[in-house]
Amino acid sequence: MNIFPTKEKKFKLIDDQAETLNRLNRRTEKSENLTSQHTDKSFRGMINGNEFKVISSVIGKGAFCVMTGKINSESGNVKVEIHKVFKILLSIFLCFPIIGITVAILTGTEEFSPIFILVVIGQILIIRYAFIGIAFKYLSNSSLNRLRDVLDFEWIKN
């Protein structure tokens, strides 16, 4: 079980590699730091040769997913992950049930019961799969659709 979800997809280029890379370069604002800022471009990030590491430039939700990939002569691949900063924040959020039950037991407001262990595990699973999983699925699909529109390619079915 992965703590944080990732998504890997392969695509087939409609145009040639040079045209696709040119399109990506025109629509990407160069940035060493993958942070959100107002821009008229579709992405922010780095492009080195035929490899890229970008985030969507949508303010508020674009920086959640980092897309890294490679564009080959006729195809390419992209991997979508949660940004490092968000991983740290979400890790803290995942620890809240453990911290809460520990504080409740140590302060004496609750006596220890084995059922608390099941409750904490259930809360962590709900946070991971209901909140983080659904948010990642929605935001990664949004970022991947934007990448597909800019680069003009077709997804390859696995």
Side-chain angles (χ1 to χ4, degrees):
M1 175 181 98
N2 292 334
I3 295 176
F4 297 107
T6 61
K7 189 183 284 190
E8 291 189 43
K9 294 190 99 174
K10 296 183 183 215
F11 55 86
K12 179 182 157 207
L13 299 178
I14 293 176
D15 288 329
D16 62 341
Q17 180 186 20
E19 178 63 31
T20 304
L21 285 170
N22 183 29
R23 213 179 279 132
L24 182 61
N25 275 315
R26 279 185 288 140
R27 299 298 302 157
T28 303
E29 182 178 303
K30 306 298 183 259
S31 171
E32 292 286 325
N33 306 336
L34 298 175
T35 57
S36 289
Q37 284 185 349
H38 287 287
T39 179
D40 59 339
K41 310 259 181 162
S42 298
F43 301 106
R44 288 184 47 106
M46 301 168 286
I47 302 168
N48 296 322
N50 64 341
E51 296 180 0
F52 62 90
K53 184 173 187 176
V54 296
I55 61 169
S56 177
S57 64
V58 177
I59 298 295
K61 57 185 179 179
F64 188 78
C65 294
V66 176
M67 296 179 288
T68 56
K70 188 172 186 177
I71 300 172
N72 300 318
S73 59
E74 295 180 9
S75 64
N77 64 323
V78 63
K79 181 177 182 181
V80 184
E81 298 176 298
I82 296 176
H83 198 288
K84 239 182 248 186
V85 174
F86 287 101
K87 282 183 181 180
I88 293 168
L89 292 172
L90 293 171
S91 296
I92 294 168
F93 190 60
L94 280 168
C95 291
F96 280 166
I98 297 168
I99 294 168
I101 201 68
T102 304
V103 169
I105 291 171
L106 291 177
T107 59
T109 56
E110 294 287 332
E111 286 190 29
F112 177 77
S113 174
I115 197 77
F116 285 150
I117 295 171
L118 294 175
V119 169
V120 167
I121 291 171
Q123 289 174 341
I124 290 172
L125 290 175
I126 288 171
I127 291 169
R128 164 52 179 93
Y129 290 103
F131 298 132
I132 298 173
I134 291 172
F136 177 76
K137 184 176 181 181
Y138 170 73
L139 294 172
S140 67
N141 284 341
S142 173
S143 294
L144 287 171
N145 286 337
R146 180 176 270 229
L147 184 69
R148 187 194 70 222
D149 290 343
V150 168
L151 297 186
D152 197 26
F153 58 74
E154 296 175 351
W155 296 117
I156 297 175
K157 300 288 183 193
N158 291 339

